[in-house]
Amino acid sequence: MPPEASAPHPRLAVVGAGLAGCAFAAQLLRLGWPAPISLWEAGRGPGGRTSTRHSRRDPQQRADHGAPLINFCVDPPPVLLAPLLAGGWIEPWLEPCARLDASGALQPIGAEPLLQGSLYRGCDGMEQVCRGLLALAGAGCTLHSSQLVQQLEPLAGGGWRLLGRAGEHLADADWLVLSGTLLVHPRGQALLGAAPAPLTAVAASDPELAAALQTIAALGAEPRSNLIWQLEGAAAAPWLALPFRLLEFDAAAQRRWGLRRVSIQPGAQGRCAVVAHSSAALAADHLQTVGSGSAAARLPGVTPDPEREQALIALLTAAVQAALAAWLPETNGQPLPGERQLMRWSAAFPRGEGLPVALSVCARSRLAFCGDYLAGPGFGRAEGAWRSGEHLAERLMKLLSAAGAKGVHAAAQGTQEHG
């Protein structure tokens, strides 16, 4: 056998274990990619916007603090949807939904983007979507949780070095996939305290990467401040009796109460999690306020303020109670029951022109992108993140396997015929 036939395949690293990163790893390995993939995630587990938050105090407490469901509006459905359904990781969403107007009256669901097409949720929590994707990936993908990649450095021979919070060496990769914009958007670099110089230097000799970075830098984002309210026993009963499990707020209602949606999530033994997402306007007014227990609080450029955090929790709690006053009992001045936490998304939903698919693979720099910020069906939503991961896997598989073990060197020539 010729010596080159036994040469190793490119080392692949993925930053971000949300829908895009997990779908990419699962699809690439299902397509037959023969080498291990390392997946790096700053949070305690996979999920991203489909995370499930578990209480350290009470294992029975959990809450889907991000997307309450996933919907697909475009045919055909993602390739990985059927195996997740067959494996019991996800199921159709069949819960009652409603829309609240500014008068406090319930209306039929209108054109809310989240509730169009086919709706699904994770079985026993939304985190099961990404856990199912990683199960499909199998042993070929290794997840490194609670590992913040804070800086990227180009390697002399091509590829990338991943550095952690204290500048420690996490991994080297021949190819790097970024499933979010944190490491490359100026806003994210400021939060991380990361210097853009290494990326800028590489982009100087790669027009595709330069164009991709320019497009990403121009992206805006809508923030969200999310309240997680845990209730149990008699305190949970009125919430569980509400005539909906998901309540969307129309534009006028958002202006009145500062809320975008409220989801009611039944738990074990009569428990209930109430998760309220703020409007973009309210979150923008409190952009510097983060939840002390959230991943955002651990970013180098973020300083939690407990007083401001509690004030925002109280504001969101009052808004939820006021909006749902017609269905909930009066508190008569009594202290509110239940544990409450704040989760902040400073860049929950991308806005602007998405990254064109043609720029999602920068072959000369061995850098690729997937996520909800890519242009196309599902832009800014979970659907877009999932589809972008699958599409990138198919594209990279074709590119890197074209020359077998020589794929790294072939790709580094900047070939575009596979794009």
Side-chain angles (χ1 to χ4, degrees):
M1 180 177 290
E4 60 267 24
S6 60
H9 281 77
R11 297 166 296 177
L12 271 169
V14 182
V15 178
L19 281 172
C22 293
F24 166 79
Q27 181 64 358
L28 190 69
L29 288 164
R30 282 169 63 87
L31 288 172
W33 182 248
I37 299 172
S38 63
L39 184 55
W40 300 85
E41 169 58 39
R44 286 184 280 171
R49 74 169 60 201
T50 58
S51 294
T52 300
R53 187 168 183 81
H54 296 266
S55 170
R56 289 188 173 97
R57 178 183 62 83
D58 183 354
Q60 297 285 352
Q61 282 190 358
R62 70 177 191 211
D64 297 325
H65 62 80
L69 56 88
I70 296 177
N71 66 317
F72 298 105
C73 300
V74 180
D75 288 327
V79 174
L80 298 173
L81 178 62
L84 283 191
L85 283 167
W89 295 98
I90 63 175
E91 62 187 1
W93 167 280
L94 302 174
E95 301 286 1
C97 305
R99 179 166 55 98
L100 195 71
D101 65 20
S103 73
L106 294 183
Q107 303 293 338
I109 288 299
E112 283 81 4
L114 180 67
L115 299 175
Q116 306 305 306
S118 302
L119 280 54
Y120 301 92
R121 67 178 179 184
C123 297
D124 298 323
M126 287 299 292
E127 67 181 356
Q128 295 298 93
V129 182
C130 283
R131 291 195 182 280
L133 290 170
L134 293 182
L136 295 179
C141 179
T142 302
L143 174 64
H144 302 269
S145 299
S146 300
Q147 292 282 356
L148 174 68
V149 178
Q150 188 167 332
Q151 183 71 59
L152 302 176
E153 285 186 356
L155 297 173
W160 298 89
R161 173 158 292 173
L162 281 60
L163 303 177
R165 298 175 189 273
E168 72 275 20
H169 176 204
L170 298 178
D172 290 343
D174 299 307
W175 269 83
L176 178 63
V177 172
L178 300 180
S179 67
T181 61
L182 185 66
L183 283 164
V184 292
H185 195 286
R187 176 182 57 249
Q189 291 174 332
L191 284 173
L192 292 172
L199 280 169
T200 304
V202 174
S205 59
D206 185 348
E208 287 184 333
L209 179 58
L213 294 179
Q214 183 178 12
T215 302
I216 291 172
L219 287 173
E222 273 192 10
R224 290 288 187 274
S225 294
N226 300 346
L227 171 71
I228 305 173
W229 190 355
Q230 299 282 0
L231 297 158
E232 56 185 73
W239 299 86
L240 294 172
L242 290 170
F244 49 79
R245 286 288 182 258
L246 182 63
L247 182 66
E248 297 285 325
F249 288 60
D250 70 15
Q254 289 183 51
R255 289 191 294 271
R256 178 177 177 183
W257 287 293
L259 299 173
R260 179 66 183 87
R261 73 172 51 99
V262 173
S263 63
I264 312 301
Q265 304 171 16
Q269 300 176 348
R271 289 175 170 84
C272 173
V274 178
V275 178
H277 292 192
S278 78
S279 66
L282 186 146
D285 289 341
H286 299 270
L287 200 56
Q288 303 307 314
T289 305
V290 301
S292 55
S294 67
R298 300 193 295 273
L299 295 176
V302 175
T303 303
D305 184 327
E307 289 187 7
R308 290 167 64 177
E309 177 185 2
Q310 291 305 313
L312 183 52
I313 287 175
L315 177 64
L316 290 168
T317 303
V320 173
Q321 286 192 294
L324 305 185
W327 298 278
L328 298 174
E330 294 283 348
T331 60
N332 297 319
Q334 296 299 312
L336 295 173
E339 176 186 346
R340 286 168 289 161
Q341 297 174 298
L342 179 70
M343 298 292 293
R344 188 203 71 176
W345 289 348
S346 60
F349 301 98
R351 292 293 180 260
E353 297 295 328
L355 181 68
V357 172
L359 295 177
S360 64
V361 176
C362 302
R364 186 173 300 175
S365 300
R366 305 182 198 171
L367 188 62
F369 303 94
C370 60
D372 64 355
Y373 59 96
L374 263 72
F379 171 74
R381 297 190 295 109
E383 176 177 13
W386 185 326
R387 289 186 184 277
S388 74
E390 285 191 6
H391 178 79
L392 179 62
E394 291 158 5
R395 190 176 178 194
L396 271 186
M397 185 69 181
K398 184 184 298 184
L399 178 65
L400 296 183
S401 64
K406 300 178 182 178
V408 170
H409 306 291
Q413 303 303 313
T415 55
Q416 301 179 8
E417 60 267 25
H418 299 292

